[in-house]
Amino acid sequence: MSSNKWRLLSLYAIILVVLASYFFIFEVYKKRKATEAKEAEKKVFSVNVEELREITMSKGSESITLRKENDKWLISSPVETETDGPSVLGFVNTLVDLKVKKWVGRESDLSPFGLDQPAITILAKENQKTCRLVLGSKTPTEDGIYAMAFVNDSSVGKEPVFVIDISVWGILNKGLYDLRRKELAKFEDPQVKKIDIKWSDDPKTAITILRETEGWKLPDHPDIKVKKARVDHIVDQIRWLRAQSFVGNSKIDAQSFNLPKPVVEITLELSNREPLRIQLGSPKEEPKASQQQQQQPPRLEAFSSELPFVVLVDRYIMNELPRKPDDLLDRSLFAWKEDDIGKIIYSHDGESVEYMREEGKESEWKWKKAPDKSYKKLKEGWRIRSVVWAASDVEYETKKESVKLFPDKFAGNLKFYNRDGKLLSEWVWQDVSSNPKDSSTVWVKNGESDEIQVFTVPSSRLKNLTDRLKDLEGSLSKS
């Protein structure tokens, strides 16, 4: 190629680079900067959230002060306590990112905007400045809130009065209950090593539960096989205990305090932490201010060694706690997990459907109806999991004498096989009552045993299993 052609190509390349640079600078970069500048103009405050140190919110006679210590927000007034992390985070971030929706003007009379007697006043202190936000009434269209803002007592923005979007009202309009910590305990389930439960009306039946490699055990009752899911559920219910209200704002000495009439005391031994102690009291009679409150069950007085206040909690927790060791007995008829299952056969009303796990495909299943030879793909394979869960949820009430044969007539026959095709468990039942208070009889044969065990189970749980099987069979039309 001649030198002239090289020069020409080089010239074209230079022109292309210049044009590309021009396009980027004037069409992309400057437009982006202009957009950013326009958005920045809408921001009420130019505040770095990391530099905020104190926030005070006033609503009428109520005033709440948040103070940051070691990068953690705490409530310092009217009571010293921890905060509700998500609620305070949403409050602070909304305040920092607050934007003007519309400028109103410079008005001498603030009463039409509710700013002469503000609904909320928020004072936020940074290292070098103090920001003040004043919120008034809703706009006539109810899609905004009238507001004013100041930095070091100087009005910010184009005009003193402006409108912010109504969506932020629920985030900024917080009370003490909204902003304070409500969890009676903060821990992760694996941290729990030991649980002690003591009922005041029968202290001799204290229950101690110890974690072991694959589940839980009762060291004082080694003959009882503990249902892991039952204890896991108890741990979850304790972890999710929330104060529905606080009985005053007086702090207590959580290490030595006792409720006047404790009903039950729970102690959790946690790894790398001090033990956690929770006391629950009797249902508390409360004034019934409305019909809605009359329909709510009584709440319990409670306290926790992690939350040094007497609080009221939902009484449902009492129904979850065992009263005696036998309450933790594993009464499950089905002891396997979904991953163990390779095949399921369900027979009823003269029909039989077989579900087979696809080889080499963990979450995919196929099916066929007897006497068909070929399988079809099961499109809603997740329904197999719901069947296994429902089977795991069936627990016996009583155990009868074993028999050698299944009954001749049955309403349902359900077989579970492992991945090698060996029978894990076969169930037979004759009826399923629709009355949840009734019981049903189930015959169960596990593995290659010749013994058939006979149990009575809650009809409601057996019905749940048959409903899941019905849903699974109903989905076959989609396959």
Side-chain angles (χ1 to χ4, degrees):
M1 186 180 294
S2 68
S3 58
N4 288 335
K5 288 186 177 180
W6 274 113
R7 291 193 193 95
L8 190 58
L9 288 175
S10 299
L11 180 60
Y12 290 157
I14 293 171
I15 293 172
L16 183 61
V17 170
V18 170
L19 290 174
S21 300
Y22 175 89
F23 178 80
F24 177 78
I25 292 172
F26 291 96
E27 298 298 324
V28 178
Y29 180 76
K30 286 198 172 184
K31 281 187 177 180
R32 186 175 65 188
K33 284 296 182 181
T35 302
E36 291 175 354
K38 191 174 181 180
E39 287 298 311
E41 285 181 3
K42 293 180 181 179
K43 286 198 71 173
V44 176
F45 298 116
S46 178
V47 180
N48 185 345
V49 68
E50 301 297 330
E51 294 182 5
L52 284 177
R53 290 292 172 263
E54 184 177 295
I55 300 174
T56 299
M57 179 177 62
S58 301
K59 295 195 298 181
S61 60
E62 181 185 17
S63 182
I64 305 166
T65 299
L66 304 171
R67 184 172 289 119
K68 188 186 288 184
E69 294 182 10
N70 299 320
D71 294 327
K72 182 180 179 181
W73 286 103
L74 301 172
I75 295 176
S76 61
S77 176
V79 62
E80 293 183 358
T81 185
E82 296 180 56
T83 58
D84 181 300
S87 184
V88 168
L89 184 63
F91 178 89
V92 173
N93 286 339
T94 299
L95 179 63
V96 169
D97 295 332
L98 198 62
K99 293 181 179 179
V100 174
K101 184 175 183 179
K102 181 176 68 174
W103 297 101
V104 175
R106 189 173 299 276
E107 305 291 338
S108 58
D109 183 9
L110 299 177
S111 57
F113 312 102
L115 293 168
D116 56 330
Q117 295 181 338
I120 301 175
T121 299
I122 301 172
L123 205 66
K125 294 182 180 180
E126 217 185 31
N127 290 332
Q128 302 295 327
K129 58 187 175 185
T130 299
C131 302
R132 179 160 54 99
L133 177 69
V134 181
L135 300 181
S137 57
K138 293 181 183 179
T139 60
T141 55
E142 297 194 347
D143 62 349
I145 301 290
Y146 291 114
M148 298 176 68
F150 306 86
V151 174
N152 294 335
D153 292 327
S154 297
S155 179
V156 301
K158 297 178 182 178
E159 305 289 349
V161 180
F162 55 89
V163 175
I164 59 174
D165 196 86
I166 190 67
S167 61
V168 305
W169 176 254
I171 304 174
L172 296 178
N173 182 27
K174 298 295 186 185
L176 178 59
Y177 175 81
D178 302 313
L179 296 173
R180 72 189 301 178
R181 170 181 168 173
K182 291 171 278 293
E183 305 100 326
L184 271 68
K186 289 183 179 181
F187 62 86
E188 297 299 326
D189 290 2
Q191 289 181 287
V192 180
K193 302 301 179 187
K194 179 183 174 184
I195 308 170
D196 286 307
I197 301 174
K198 297 178 182 178
W199 295 88
S200 59
D201 60 354
D202 191 6
K204 292 182 180 180
T205 60
I207 302 173
T208 297
I209 312 168
L210 282 177
R211 185 186 291 276
E212 54 184 1
T213 306
E214 296 297 329
W216 301 89
K217 66 178 181 180
L218 300 176
D220 299 329
H221 304 273
D223 55 319
I224 294 180
K225 180 186 176 184
V226 176
K227 183 165 185 176
K228 180 179 182 298
R230 177 87 167 88
V231 180
D232 289 345
H233 180 68
I234 292 170
V235 171
D236 283 340
Q237 296 307 305
I238 295 171
R239 185 165 58 88
W240 284 103
L241 264 179
R242 298 290 187 272
Q244 294 187 345
S245 65
F246 289 77
V247 183
N249 286 326
S250 299
K251 275 192 171 183
I252 59 175
D253 183 351
Q255 299 305 316
S256 59
F257 181 82
N258 287 293
L259 291 174
K261 294 181 180 180
V263 173
V264 62
E265 179 167 302
I266 308 162
T267 304
L268 301 185
E269 187 176 298
L270 305 168
S271 57
N272 303 319
R273 285 178 55 182
E274 291 293 320
L276 170 67
R277 186 168 68 102
I278 295 175
Q279 278 189 353
L280 303 173
S282 303
K284 183 176 177 60
E285 293 297 327
E286 301 176 74
K288 297 175 181 178
S290 66
Q291 183 66 28
Q292 183 179 5
Q293 284 184 332
Q294 292 179 11
Q295 297 172 358
Q296 294 178 349
R299 298 181 291 181
L300 309 174
E301 278 197 339
F303 93 93
S304 156
S305 57
E306 281 192 7
L307 188 64
F309 300 93
V310 177
V311 303
L312 296 182
V313 299
D314 195 309
R315 67 175 301 173
Y316 75 88
I317 183 67
M318 288 296 199
N319 301 327
E320 307 297 333
L321 298 175
R323 294 287 314 217
K324 56 187 184 299
D326 277 351
D327 291 341
L328 298 174
L329 176 65
D330 190 348
R331 298 174 179 271
S332 304
L333 301 189
F334 190 80
W336 296 272
K337 299 177 182 178
E338 184 202 356
D339 290 342
D340 301 322
I341 312 300
K343 182 171 70 173
I344 298 173
I345 299 177
Y346 177 47
S347 304
H348 66 101
D349 300 323
E351 294 188 355
S352 181
V353 185
E354 178 180 316
Y355 304 92
M356 178 81 77
R357 188 188 295 271
E358 290 277 14
E359 189 173 351
K361 299 179 180 178
E362 289 298 310
S363 59
E364 296 186 16
W365 291 75
K366 55 188 178 181
W367 66 276
K368 69 174 182 178
K369 284 188 176 182
D372 294 347
K373 300 282 187 180
S374 59
Y375 291 93
K376 297 179 181 178
K377 180 180 175 61
L378 182 63
K379 289 187 177 180
E380 297 184 356
W382 59 269
R383 293 188 182 274
I384 295 290
R385 186 180 303 112
S386 68
V387 168
V388 175
W389 285 348
S392 302
D393 198 41
V394 178
E395 297 182 331
Y396 70 85
E397 297 171 324
T398 60
K399 185 176 181 180
K400 299 181 179 181
E401 289 188 13
S402 302
V403 297
K404 294 294 183 181
L405 297 172
F406 284 115
D408 294 331
K409 296 181 180 180
F410 59 84
N413 178 285
L414 182 62
K415 298 177 183 178
F416 296 93
Y417 296 82
N418 67 12
R419 297 190 182 216
D420 295 327
K422 293 183 179 179
L423 179 69
L424 294 175
S425 187
E426 180 177 3
W427 297 12
V428 167
W429 57 89
Q430 290 184 317
D431 58 26
V432 183
S433 172
S434 57
N435 188 340
K437 295 183 179 180
D438 287 347
S439 298
S440 298
T441 302
V442 179
W443 289 258
V444 178
K445 177 183 176 182
N446 289 326
E448 298 179 356
S449 173
D450 293 331
E451 185 179 63
I452 298 174
Q453 297 176 307
V454 185
F455 304 96
T456 60
V457 303
S459 292
S460 58
R461 298 199 179 187
L462 184 59
K463 185 176 186 305
N464 180 52
L465 173 60
T466 57
D467 286 346
R468 300 292 78 73
L469 288 163
K470 183 179 179 180
D471 292 341
L472 174 59
E473 196 165 343
S475 73
L476 300 183
S477 60
K478 302 176 184 179
S479 300

